[in-house]
Amino acid sequence: MIIVVQQTVFDIDAAIIFVVIATSIAIGFIGYRANKTVSQFLFANKALGSWLLAFSIMSTYYSAASFLGGGGATYLYNLGFGAWLTAWHVIGVLILWFVVASKLFDYVSKTNALSIPELIEHRYKSFGARVIASSIIILLFTLYLVSVYKSGAIVIAKQFSIDFSIALLILVIPVLIYIVVGGMRAAAINNLFLGTLMLVAAALTFYYIMSYVGGPMEGLKKLSNTTILGKYPGDLWLRIDGMGPPQAMKENAVPQLIMSIAFSIGMAQVALPNLLLQFYAARDKKAISRGRIIGPVLVALYAMLMFSLGAFAHLIIDNKLSKEQVTALMKDVDWVIPTTISMIVEPGLRGIIIAGPIAASMTTIALTVLTIANTVVRDFIQPFKNIEKESTLVLTAKIASIMFSLIPIPLALTQNQLIIDLVSASFGTIFACFIGPVTIGLYWKKASREAAIASMLIGAVTGVTWYMLIYRKYTWIHSTIPATILAILTFTILSITTKQK
Amino acid sequence: MITLGYVVSILALVIGVLVGVYKEVRNRGE
């Protein structure tokens, strides 16, 4: 895939990215002193206010994929994808903040459960459920990190014209430094800094693309009068059953494909442990109460700015590219936004925009690694070897952070199809596994141990096997949908039919 | 159907923010 990046003697865009990465490392040292206990290291001493919390959760949730794939998606899909991806994100974030956050905070405050698996053990009085939850978190989040690493590193590799493996290290090592030095406090402050950068990058991208096409309404008019690649009328982008992957169009499956992917990505927020864990670090209930206003606005703003831009990019870049290049971009939409901004944005501002997806990757990596480290220490080491010395616990958490941020690197370099499929399936599968035991279980008193265990296992098995064996081969319904339905059904039926002990 | 997606997004956000502000104001009053 060709990405047009203008090189100058002094590459100001690369310099901006360098400054952003260096600043994130410097921020790591802010949290250094307040990092002596495991509560300080993993939960920022439970002192996160509403702004830090809201920015941290938004920027953890959005990885580089939200900028690259999310921004470019409607270059291939019709605008229904952008509209419904935005809608499900707004619905998801409202459920997260209004339904889950306070309840989770109350439960954690009452029980002092310090990890999602520990909460599950406490809620269902089952150590087995805790072990299964821990295993799922460690395995699937490690796989999920592979996709986050890939999308962030490829931007760095293109921008600096360097090898992908070196780009991976440039992405991961700074995050590793700031989380090991500063723990969750550094990660949260960085999430505020990098999250702001993401929003600025999204706003600039929206502004430049919309200015170029004469605004949204004028852009839509132009799009409907255009024919893409000489064979696709622009009108196809204005119908939910219009443009999509050619195979899905042939099978009249575009609407179901769009709705299932949009639902899977947007609703995942309500049960992702790397987001839920951050409510543990809230200063008090007031922080969550105020965060309820800020958090949804941030997520919705980013979604509204980014998720519908790809279609308008046709009006900007298609006449500057060959037919083969447009066809290639429609197959790999990740490069639509970087290619577009490289053509219409001046150096400097372009660097700020390109720093957006890199920042998005860094923020997601930080909190996901801390979530894995927390699970390793709290759920895999402490139940078997009671470590009382705080400094040893902190050291163990730091070693776990280093290990689990390095493990995805070789996986990101492999071309093994099994690993690629597992990575692609992991995000939605995590949601399917925890929607019952955590999100519903917080409210439903009748929820049982057997239901929680079976729901997690069914969610994991269905999510992975459907993605690898059925999705795109026999149906265009994304694996998250059947995994979530089966997991919730199992959770509900078993909770009703099994007696609580 | 596409317009509906955007309408749902905006309406849901507006309702969410209003409910959030209402609850915050009520909490401060208590």
Side-chain angles (χ1 to χ4, degrees), chain A residues 190-444:
Chain A
N190 259 321
N191 282 6
L192 176 63
F193 162 59
L194 298 170
T196 306
L197 182 67
M198 285 164 61
L199 283 174
V200 170
L204 285 172
T205 309
F206 182 87
Y207 170 78
Y208 272 94
I209 289 179
M210 286 306 161
S211 300
Y212 197 94
V213 301
M217 298 321 287
E218 184 62 23
L220 288 174
K221 206 192 290 176
K222 285 180 187 166
L223 190 62
S224 65
N225 293 327
T226 309
T227 303
I228 309 297
L229 282 173
K231 57 180 173 180
Y232 297 120
D235 270 345
L236 285 177
W237 270 262
L238 309 181
R239 288 188 357 229
I240 189 85
D241 59 348
M243 196 60 201
Q247 191 59 33
M249 287 172 77
K250 258 188 228 164
E251 295 171 25
N252 290 324
V254 174
Q256 70 194 55
L257 179 63
I258 284 177
M259 290 307 265
S260 67
I261 295 178
F263 173 85
S264 307
I265 301 173
M267 287 296 282
Q269 297 167 87
V270 306
L272 282 182
N274 57 347
L275 304 185
L276 302 182
L277 188 76
Q278 295 181 61
F279 292 117
Y280 287 44
R283 185 192 296 146
D284 50 27
K285 243 183 142 179
K286 276 185 193 165
I288 290 176
S289 177
R290 286 176 197 153
R292 275 198 299 230
I293 304 165
I294 307 163
V297 172
L298 296 178
V299 167
L301 184 62
Y302 185 88
M304 287 170 185
L305 289 169
M306 283 307 301
F307 292 162
S308 302
L309 294 178
F312 297 95
H314 279 294
L315 304 170
I316 303 170
I317 60 176
D318 285 15
N319 59 3
K320 299 180 181 75
L321 300 174
S322 66
K323 271 193 173 181
E324 290 71 31
Q325 286 174 316
V326 173
T327 307
L329 271 178
M330 287 178 78
K331 281 186 183 154
D332 182 8
V333 295
D334 281 1
W335 291 107
V336 171
I337 298 299
T339 305
T340 308
I341 59 168
S342 73
M343 290 179 182
I344 62 172
V345 182
E346 58 265 35
L349 283 175
R350 198 172 54 200
I352 293 173
I353 294 175
I354 291 294
I358 298 170
S361 290
M362 293 171 76
T363 51
T364 307
I365 292 167
L367 263 300
T368 307
V369 167
L370 283 173
T371 304
I372 298 174
N374 180 42
T375 304
V376 169
V377 173
R378 193 79 192 169
D379 304 303
F380 266 111
I381 295 177
Q382 276 203 299
F384 302 103
K385 185 175 169 54
N386 190 22
I387 304 170
E388 287 185 359
K389 207 174 166 191
E390 282 289 340
S391 58
T392 311
L393 271 176
V394 173
L395 182 66
T396 313
K398 288 184 177 182
I399 291 169
S401 301
I402 294 169
M403 274 178 57
F404 281 91
S405 56
L406 295 179
I407 288 171
I409 291 179
L411 297 177
L413 292 168
T414 182
Q415 295 300 318
N416 183 304
Q417 192 56 42
L418 177 66
I419 291 174
I420 292 170
D421 282 348
L422 283 170
V423 166
S424 306
S426 60
F427 184 72
T429 305
I430 298 169
F431 162 69
C433 291
F434 293 105
I435 180 77
V438 179
T439 313
I440 300 173
L442 279 172
Y443 280 88
W444 196 22

Side-chain angles (χ1 to χ4, degrees), chain A residues 83-84 87 94 98 238 289-290 308, chain B residues 1-2 5-6 9 12 16 24 27:
Chain A
W84 283 99
L94 288 172
F98 281 85
L238 309 181
S289 177
R290 286 176 197 153
S308 302
Chain B
M1 190 70 179
I2 292 177
Y6 290 118
S9 308
E24 176 67 7
N27 285 348

Side-chain angles (χ1 to χ4, degrees), chain A residues 9 45 244 253 284 293 334 336 438 450 466 473 491:
Chain A
V9 177
N45 210 22
D284 50 27
I293 304 165
D334 281 1
V336 171
V438 179
E450 293 78 3
W466 186 285
K473 295 183 181 78
F491 187 72

